[in-house]
Amino acid sequence: AGVRSASSRVIPSRGRARRLCACTMAFLLRAFSSQARDGELPPPNALSGDLPSLPAVSDAGLPSIPAGGDVRASAVGVTVDDDDAPISRSDSGVFDSPGQPTKQRSSSVFGKKKKKRPELTTPRKSTIKASVYEPPNLEVALERMRRKQPHDLKSEEEIGEDGRRTKRLPASIPLDEMMQRFSDGIVFWFIVLRDYLIAFTLLTALSGGLFHLANVANDENDTGWDTLSGLARATYGAVLFWGSNKSKAGEVTDADRDATLAVVALDAVQMLVLCALTVYHFYYKAKVNDEVDVNTITIDDYAVEVRGLPENATEASVKAHFEKHCGAVFEVCLGRDVTRVISLRKRAMALEANADLLEYMLRRAQRLLGQEIENEPNGPEKWKRLWHLAYDKVKKDLVKRGVLPGLAIDFYALVLEVAKDQSLPMSDRTESAARAAKRAMKKGTVGAAGSSNPDDYNPDLIKEKIKALNVRREENADAVAACAQEGFPVVCAWVTFVEEQTCVDCITRVAESKEALKALSFDLLPKEARPRDARAKMIARGEEDIRLYREAPLMPPQKLRIRTAKPPSDVLWENLHFSEKTMWKRKLRSAAIMTFVLLVSLAVIGAAMAANNSLNPYATCADVGAGGELLDCPAIWDLESTSLANPGARADIAPFIEQDTDVFACKAHVEIGVWVADVSAANGFFVNDANASAAAAFRASASDSTSSWSGGIFPDSNVDECAAHVCHHCYCKEKGFSAYNDDVDGLGAFCKEYWDDQLLSVVYLGIAVAVSTVMNLILKELCNQLAYWEHPQSLTKKELAIASYMIAALVVNMAFLPLFMAAQIDALAAIPFLFKGGHPDMTGYWYSDFSNKFAQIVILNAGSFPFTLLTPVVIWRLNRWYFTDKVKSQRELNELTTPPPFLLSERYGQFIAQVVYSLIFSAGIPLVHVAMVVFIAMSIVIDRVMLVRYCANPPRYSAKLAALLIHSMPVAVALHFAVAVWAFGTRDAPSYVVSGVSESSSQAWADGMKQTDAQYDIGARIARVNGLIPFIGFVAVSSLFVIAEVTLFIRKKLAARSMDLEGCPPLPLVISQKRLTGMSSYKITANPDYKHLFDADGTDEVSEALR
């Protein structure tokens, strides 16, 4: 119902009855017809003519419709073709305040309601406030900083000469004492670190079997460093080379199979340890949560959150609705869209700080220059100043008369006299005032308050700055008042009941309403007449429902969404107006940005790898030495017999090396660092008498600078050029860098190309590793920004979003992209940079290439990630060091010394990501377990020091982030088993076979031929016991995980229908006895994160609009 405004026109009496009748019929049809739908009227042919829906009501109780206005009915309400019409209906079918139309605001793609900047319609009530300026004092700021940190209060006996009243907590504070000081979420984080440190230490010990077998395999197989280098020698790759050579020689024994089977079994035991730890954490977390719920009373034990209210809902109407359906209500807090006011208030505080500073500087300048201080308050400061002036005057007079002896020269007084001498130019006076002020500075006074710039002591210049600043303050205050005059739309509400039982009954009634709605059937009605949604069904049901809300009796009902409330400290007021329904769009935007950044990383790393592949080809030197089966380098170019004086083969190989050949061009002859082309026909080409004429012709052509390249030994193929580069590579590598650097026997010139390639290879690899490491750090910071851009309505959702994005980004960047870049899958080779890495399977050469780089990056991350958590502290300390002498007021100095927060989201995000991508490949690369031990140990030390020494007191974290870890671990274990099937099930490793499978079908070599499995043949892998065990583990863990997730989802849905009764006393009694933990109200003015942005006295426009 609405009240007609003064500008509305009076309807002629002869048409009033007809229009009233039409409106009444339309309303009855809309409210009670079986054809009523959500937001729709009956079809136009249901009545003769177009009928309007319910309009506003005038003072006389009759519809107020402008005379002469063209009134038409529509599916959404009355449309009045009159620009001056005072009353209308919004498209949502909701009335605004009496006599005023509801202004609709369109929603953007990402759920933020857009609106024009409001304009001031009436004069502003409030005035800009001139707060008392406080010059920056470092000691005061540091004392405030210590109060914000988790420090202990000192006793009177412990307070020393420095006056500090707090002392730091020890970094070795035990968990029991930590539980009394911090929330269960903080304590659970350190419990997680402790337990996983023990677990990964145990995993490292269990990996000793693989380390031992790899060492034995390298010794027995005499695996060279060129075949398996660096960290790859401590991987399963050593076992594969050893097993392949044993199979080739036909020497595989049951002892060899037992050794590999033991490694597989120990790997399965490691995963069982992690699964057991995950189950333990699940039940321990639930136990801690239950204990906290029982032992603490918080306001959310009595409250529900309500969504779906009209924008003009009032506290009284909401309270009446819930008291009618549930019981006594203690408080109703309306959540409003105050985002713009929050930003304007923050700006106002910054402007106030500048105004305080300028006001102080003006009074200081006037005092030093001997001028009358304008608008000086009549108080102790004024009388103290006047008393000092009188005292100095009398003292000087007595000294002049000789009553008092002459005093020592006071340079401060002399300089001050110059400043007060009005006969001097203002520039001289201000310079003297600056010197006098600098001499009189108190200890700890910093910033512009301690400036020695003469312009900062010129009252005229300062007044101009104050005038310009006040204009900006007035404009900002007008903007705040305009927002308040426009009103703050209601977004949600928190209803707090007097009794906990009433809150439980409310949730129960909501569940009953949903069940009753499901039981309704409209099958007997025509299809076009059936209600389309829940709101229409509840209206058609015709009964009172707790989820149907009317702001006024004649207004259309609104469907409410009611659920248990979160703690008031979890509310992000600046994001309340962002729609939860469009959150998927904002998440899609975040995913697109994250994908773009990952593609940039992929492009840079791919370009570095492509540049590395553009270098000269190389192969395992052991396979191409003397007596090589496919390539015998000494038989073609006997470089060992050459010297600077007798170049011989060096001269013969030089023309081949000069040709442009790279890894890509020689891909058909060199596969994964192994020479595969048969060039035995070239043996003896330059030394055998049978080839003397051909060799002579080649040498003559090569020495002729005018002739083009003839194609070498094999004119139709580049195999000889590739072979020459491989032989040159092995020869220079054997001679070493010292011989090249010292130019021994001409090697400085002959091996220059080889060592240039080695340098470039290291550079390209370093670029790839550096880019990957830097991108990991960038992705961590990007995750924070993406979570901010999503505008979640609660702090918990924001923290979960940060951790989730960090996990996804780091796992993709660290595990999947490198894996796909190293893989060779012809069906997917069209994708840029991916699936062209030359490794169709996890062979020994895959470990030599991929695992070496992966282990290096994991170790780098293990050492760098804990220190990245120190970044906020380092930046904070640097800012304090650099900006302390540049701040303008005590307020700014306080902000500068405010300690950084201790955020669990970043810690859980990088911890879970590190665990997941380490476990994915830990079956064959157990070195990652050692890296995890180092990572967790460093995290424990750094986090403890940061928490008790540098960071601010953390918020009351719950164990939500721990739940993310608990749910992620089964996924990591399942991925580990999936990769282990490929790693352990390969032919190269000695293995028993499943009963009924031929032993020979599992051998790496048969009849002198290398045997391989088809790339997608998983059956061949699980036919081997080494592959079957992880496959069983994968199936078991995946199945149990799905069952557990489905069970927990059902339990969560069932739990949402009710609320556990904890037996809390009535809320007023709890508050009076001071037993309430946390905030006592959901109001924004009670939230410590926002209350400083609103006036304490509540007399301004904003406070009135929020009532």
Side-chain angles (χ1 to χ4, degrees):
V3 180
R4 184 180 61 188
S5 65
S7 61
S8 62
R9 301 169 185 161
V10 180
I11 302 175
S13 58
R14 58 185 179 182
R16 180 175 296 175
R18 176 175 58 82
R19 294 186 180 183
L20 176 60
C21 180
C23 293
T24 304
M25 292 179 64
F27 171 73
L28 293 176
L29 284 172
R30 181 180 179 88
F32 303 110
S33 173
S34 62
Q35 298 178 350
R37 305 186 186 98
D38 179 23
E40 294 187 359
L41 289 175
N45 58 2
L47 295 171
S48 58
D50 295 333
L51 298 176
S53 56
L54 182 67
V57 180
S58 66
D59 296 341
L62 299 176
S64 177
I65 303 177
D70 183 12
V71 183
R72 298 189 303 273
S74 67
V76 295
V78 175
T79 302
V80 182
D81 288 352
D82 191 339
D83 294 338
D84 297 328
I87 301 175
S88 65
R89 279 282 304 279
S90 68
D91 288 349
S92 63
V94 181
F95 285 98
D96 205 338
S97 56
Q100 297 294 331
T102 299
K103 297 181 180 180
Q104 291 302 299
R105 299 180 299 165
S106 61
S107 297
S108 70
V109 176
F110 300 110
K112 181 179 179 179
K113 295 182 176 180
K114 294 182 177 179
K115 62 177 182 179
K116 295 181 179 179
R117 180 175 297 182
E119 297 180 357
L120 199 63
T121 57
T122 59
R124 191 179 76 243
K125 297 180 181 178
S126 60
T127 58
I128 57 175
K129 297 181 179 179
S131 56
V132 178
Y133 174 76
E134 190 178 358
N137 188 290
L138 191 56
E139 293 300 326
V140 174
L142 292 177
E143 183 64 27
R144 174 182 174 274
M145 177 195 72
R146 298 184 193 105
R147 290 197 303 268
K148 286 184 171 293
Q149 293 174 323
H151 287 189
D152 264 344
L153 291 176
K154 291 182 179 179
S155 62
E156 293 296 332
E157 294 79 12
E158 293 176 324
I159 299 177
E161 295 180 358
D162 57 2
R164 294 184 180 180
R165 298 183 175 274
T166 61
K167 60 181 179 180
R168 293 174 174 177
L169 298 176
S172 59
I173 179 174
L175 290 176
D176 293 340
E177 186 178 348
M178 192 179 290
M179 180 67 80
Q180 300 174 6
R181 296 178 178 274
F182 304 105
S183 66
D184 56 325
I186 294 293
V187 178
F188 201 84
W189 164 245
F190 287 100
I191 292 175
V192 165
L193 291 179
R194 179 200 64 190
D195 293 347
Y196 272 90
L197 177 62
I198 297 173
F200 273 99
T201 302
L202 179 59
L203 264 59
T204 302
L206 293 174
S207 300
L210 179 52
F211 289 132
H212 173 71
L213 183 58
N215 185 49
V216 172
N218 287 327
D219 291 341
E220 291 186 2
N221 192 51
D222 197 18
T223 306
W225 282 81
D226 56 342
T227 302
L228 201 62
S229 62
L231 300 176
R233 297 183 69 82
T235 65
Y236 200 67
V239 179
L240 297 184
F241 281 117
W242 168 72
S244 177
N245 287 340
K246 278 212 162 192
S247 176
K248 184 177 181 179
E251 299 175 353
V252 178
T253 64
D254 285 347
D256 301 331
R257 298 186 181 95
D258 291 339
T260 57
L261 181 59
V263 170
V264 175
L266 287 175
D267 179 77
V269 171
Q270 296 172 26
M271 296 303 103
L272 291 178
V273 169
L274 291 179
C275 289
L277 180 61
T278 302
V279 173
Y280 165 74
H281 281 163
F282 174 80
Y283 286 104
Y284 184 77
K285 181 181 74 70
K287 177 183 177 182
V288 171
N289 287 342
D290 291 342
E291 290 179 353
V292 171
D293 287 341
V294 171
N295 296 329
T296 60
I297 301 176
T298 55
I299 195 169
D300 50 285
D301 293 330
Y302 302 84
V304 295
E305 181 182 342
V306 184
R307 294 271 175 177
L309 291 166
E311 292 185 351
N312 63 317
T314 61
E315 293 182 2
S317 60
V318 175
K319 182 177 181 180
H321 174 83
F322 281 91
E323 285 187 335
K324 174 182 177 182
H325 290 278
C326 302
V329 173
F330 178 78
E331 179 188 61
V332 172
C333 174
L334 298 178
R336 299 179 181 271
D337 179 5
V338 292
T339 304
R340 178 164 172 75
V341 168
I342 289 176
S343 62
L344 290 173
R345 289 284 190 168
K346 291 180 179 179
R347 183 170 181 265
M349 292 183 65
L351 294 175
E352 286 177 11
N354 290 340
D356 294 344
L357 170 65
L358 291 175
E359 184 68 24
Y360 164 80
M361 292 171 63
L362 177 61
R363 293 181 182 180
R364 180 184 60 180
Q366 291 173 339
R367 182 173 63 253
L368 293 174
L369 297 176
Q371 298 180 0
E372 182 181 356
I373 298 178
E374 300 177 3
N375 303 321
E376 183 179 15
N378 190 9
E381 290 294 329
K382 178 179 179 180
W383 294 108
K384 181 179 179 181
R385 180 179 63 83
L386 295 177
W387 184 88
H388 277 294
L389 288 176
Y391 172 81
D392 291 341
K393 184 177 181 180
V394 172
K395 185 177 179 182
K396 291 177 183 178
D397 185 59
L398 293 176
V399 170
K400 186 177 181 180
R401 294 183 182 181
V403 177
L404 293 177
L407 303 178
I409 299 176
D410 188 349
F411 290 98
Y412 169 73
L414 294 178
V415 173
L416 197 58
E417 286 294 334
V418 175
K420 295 180 179 180
D421 189 352
Q422 298 183 6
S423 63
L424 296 176
M426 181 59 72
S427 59
D428 294 342
R429 297 175 62 193
T430 55
E431 185 174 354
S432 298
R435 292 178 181 177
K438 193 67 176 178
R439 186 179 180 87
M441 292 297 172
K442 294 182 179 180
K443 179 183 178 181
T445 302
V446 292
S451 171
S452 58
N453 184 358
D455 289 343
D456 292 334
Y457 297 85
N458 190 324
D460 295 333
L461 295 179
I462 297 175
K463 289 178 181 179
E464 292 179 3
K465 293 179 181 180
I466 292 177
K467 183 178 180 181
L469 181 63
N470 284 337
V471 172
R472 295 171 59 193
R473 294 181 64 192
E474 292 286 351
E475 292 174 351
N476 191 78
D478 287 344
V480 172
C483 290
Q485 291 176 7
E486 185 190 43
F488 304 115
V490 173
V491 179
C492 64
W494 294 275
V495 180
T496 307
F497 297 97
V498 174
E499 299 281 352
E500 183 193 16
Q501 181 63 55
T502 309
C503 184
V504 174
D505 294 342
C506 178
I507 298 299
T508 304
R509 285 185 174 83
V510 171
E512 292 173 351
S513 171
K514 294 179 180 179
E515 292 297 328
L517 204 61
K518 291 179 181 178
L520 290 178
S521 176
F522 298 91
D523 295 339
L524 299 179
L525 295 177
K527 185 175 181 180
E528 62 275 6
R530 296 174 187 172
R532 295 182 179 179
D533 57 16
R535 175 176 174 271
K537 290 179 181 179
M538 286 189 289
I539 294 175
R541 183 183 173 198
E543 298 181 8
E544 291 289 340
D545 196 307
I546 190 174
R547 294 192 296 154
L548 273 183
Y549 170 83
R550 296 176 187 269
E551 179 62 26
L554 297 181
M555 286 188 176
Q558 302 293 307
K559 175 180 171 293
L560 301 181
R561 301 187 302 277
I562 306 172
R563 60 189 179 189
T564 55
K566 302 298 181 183
S569 60
D570 198 39
V571 178
L572 297 178
W573 280 81
E574 59 269 27
N575 294 338
L576 286 180
H577 64 291
F578 284 88
S579 173
E580 290 183 333
K581 294 181 179 179
T582 56
M583 175 60 78
W584 67 272
K585 297 180 181 179
R586 301 194 289 276
K587 287 189 175 294
L588 186 63
R589 175 182 61 185
S590 299
I593 296 174
M594 187 73 71
T595 302
F596 173 76
V597 175
L598 289 173
L599 289 177
V600 171
S601 172
L602 172 63
V604 176
I605 297 175
M609 294 296 99
N612 189 62
N613 289 332
S614 68
L615 302 177
N616 292 322
Y618 60 92
T620 305
C621 295
D623 298 336
V624 298
E629 183 178 354
L630 300 177
L631 172 61
D632 186 345
C633 288
I636 307 175
W637 299 282
D638 189 8
L639 298 175
E640 289 292 342
S641 63
T642 63
S643 64
L644 181 61
N646 181 26
R650 293 189 188 182
D652 292 336
I653 201 175
F656 293 91
I657 298 175
E658 291 172 358
Q659 306 308 311
D660 256 347
T661 305
D662 55 29
V663 174
F664 283 116
C666 297
K667 193 174 183 180
H669 316 308
V670 184
E671 293 182 0
I672 324 172
V674 179
W675 183 267
V676 296
D678 187 0
V679 291
S680 57
N683 292 351
F685 178 81
F686 292 99
V687 294
N688 290 347
D689 294 338
N691 300 324
S693 59
F698 170 79
R699 289 179 178 129
S701 175
S703 61
D704 187 1
S705 59
T706 60
S707 62
S708 59
W709 176 247
S710 62
I713 302 174
F714 303 102
D716 298 331
S717 173
N718 68 340
V719 66
D720 47 353
E721 290 92 333
C722 296
H725 279 93
V726 170
C727 294
H728 178 259
H729 168 95
C730 292
Y731 174 74
C732 293
K733 180 179 180 181
E734 182 182 356
K735 293 302 180 181
F737 179 77
S738 297
Y740 159 75
N741 191 51
D742 297 337
D743 195 17
V744 176
D745 202 17
L747 292 178
F750 183 71
C751 292
K752 184 178 186 305
E753 185 174 354
Y754 165 78
W755 288 109
D756 287 347
D757 279 3
Q758 295 305 301
L759 176 60
L760 290 175
S761 179
V762 171
V763 171
Y764 294 148
L765 180 60
I767 291 175
V769 173
V771 168
S772 179
T773 304
V774 171
M775 287 305 300
N776 288 339
L777 302 179
I778 292 175
L779 287 171
K780 286 178 58 182
E781 298 303 322
L782 179 62
C783 291
N784 290 277
Q785 192 61 40
L786 291 179
Y788 171 79
W789 286 336
E790 286 183 1
H791 302 288
Q793 296 179 353
S794 68
L795 179 63
T796 299
K797 291 181 179 179
K798 181 180 178 180
E799 294 281 287
L800 287 173
I802 293 174
S804 301
Y805 285 135
M806 195 174 296
I807 295 168
L810 293 180
V811 169
V812 170
N813 195 48
M814 278 295 303
F816 293 112
L817 285 184
L819 178 64
F820 295 157
M821 292 177 68
Q824 179 68 43
I825 303 178
D826 295 336
L828 303 175
I831 302 176
F833 302 116
L834 301 180
F835 306 109
K836 294 182 284 290
H839 296 285
D841 203 348
M842 296 176 68
T843 63
Y845 295 104
W846 179 87
Y847 285 94
S848 181
D849 180 21
F850 175 83
S851 69
N852 210 11
K853 302 171 186 175
F854 178 76
Q856 291 174 11
I857 297 177
V858 170
I859 293 173
L860 283 175
N861 288 346
S864 63
F865 275 6
F867 285 104
T868 60
L869 298 176
L870 281 172
T871 303
V873 172
V874 173
I875 294 175
W876 173 59
R877 297 285 294 186
L878 289 176
N879 285 338
R880 282 179 52 189
W881 169 75
Y882 182 75
F883 290 107
T884 294
D885 60 346
K886 297 176 177 61
V887 296
K888 300 177 181 179
S889 65
Q890 185 66 41
R891 188 182 317 190
E892 289 183 331
L893 187 58
N894 290 343
E895 293 177 359
L896 185 64
T897 55
T898 299
F902 187 85
L903 300 177
L904 280 185
S905 55
E906 295 182 6
R907 287 165 169 79
Y908 268 108
Q910 70 176 20
F911 176 79
I912 297 174
Q914 183 92 351
V915 170
V916 170
Y917 65 64
S918 296
L919 289 181
I920 289 177
F921 300 110
S922 65
I925 313 175
L927 284 171
V928 297
H929 293 158
V930 181
M932 282 300 303
V933 171
V934 175
F935 167 70
I936 298 174
M938 292 176 61
S939 297
I940 291 176
V941 175
I942 290 176
D943 283 359
R944 277 182 168 269
V945 172
M946 287 184 64
L947 178 64
V948 301
R949 297 293 176 90
Y950 297 107
C951 291
N953 270 312
R956 301 292 298 180
Y957 279 111
S958 65
K960 291 285 187 180
L961 290 169
L964 183 62
L965 169 65
I966 292 171
H967 289 272
S968 300
M969 284 306 301
V971 178
V973 172
L975 290 174
H976 171 93
F977 278 129
V979 174
V981 172
W982 250 252
F984 295 145
T986 181
R987 281 178 177 267
D988 291 344
S991 174
Y992 293 104
V993 294
V994 179
S995 177
V997 178
S998 172
E999 184 93 16
S1000 59
S1001 65
S1002 184
Q1003 294 292 332
W1005 289 81
D1007 300 328
M1009 299 293 293
K1010 184 75 167 80
Q1011 306 295 312
T1012 57
D1013 294 323
Q1015 199 168 33
Y1016 304 105
D1017 189 3
I1018 188 175
R1021 298 179 185 273
I1022 62 177
R1024 305 176 187 108
V1025 175
N1026 288 358
L1028 180 62
I1029 292 176
F1031 179 76
I1032 294 174
F1034 170 76
V1035 174
V1037 171
S1038 301
S1039 302
L1040 291 175
F1041 174 68
V1042 172
I1043 294 172
E1045 288 295 321
V1046 172
T1047 303
L1048 292 175
F1049 177 78
I1050 295 173
R1051 284 178 56 185
K1052 184 178 179 180
K1053 285 293 184 182
L1054 294 176
R1057 299 180 180 179
S1058 60
M1059 180 178 173
D1060 294 334
L1061 186 64
E1062 300 173 5
C1064 299
L1067 182 57
L1069 179 62
V1070 173
I1071 294 176
S1072 64
Q1073 295 178 350
K1074 298 182 180 180
R1075 296 171 56 189
L1076 193 67
T1077 301
M1079 296 167 53
S1080 60
S1081 174
Y1082 279 89
K1083 294 185 179 298
I1084 191 172
T1085 51
N1087 193 317
D1089 294 332
Y1090 300 97
K1091 66 180 182 180
H1092 64 285
L1093 301 175
F1094 299 89
D1095 290 342
D1097 54 7
T1099 58
D1100 64 336
E1101 292 92 338
V1102 175
S1103 300
E1104 293 178 359
L1106 289 176
R1107 290 183 186 139

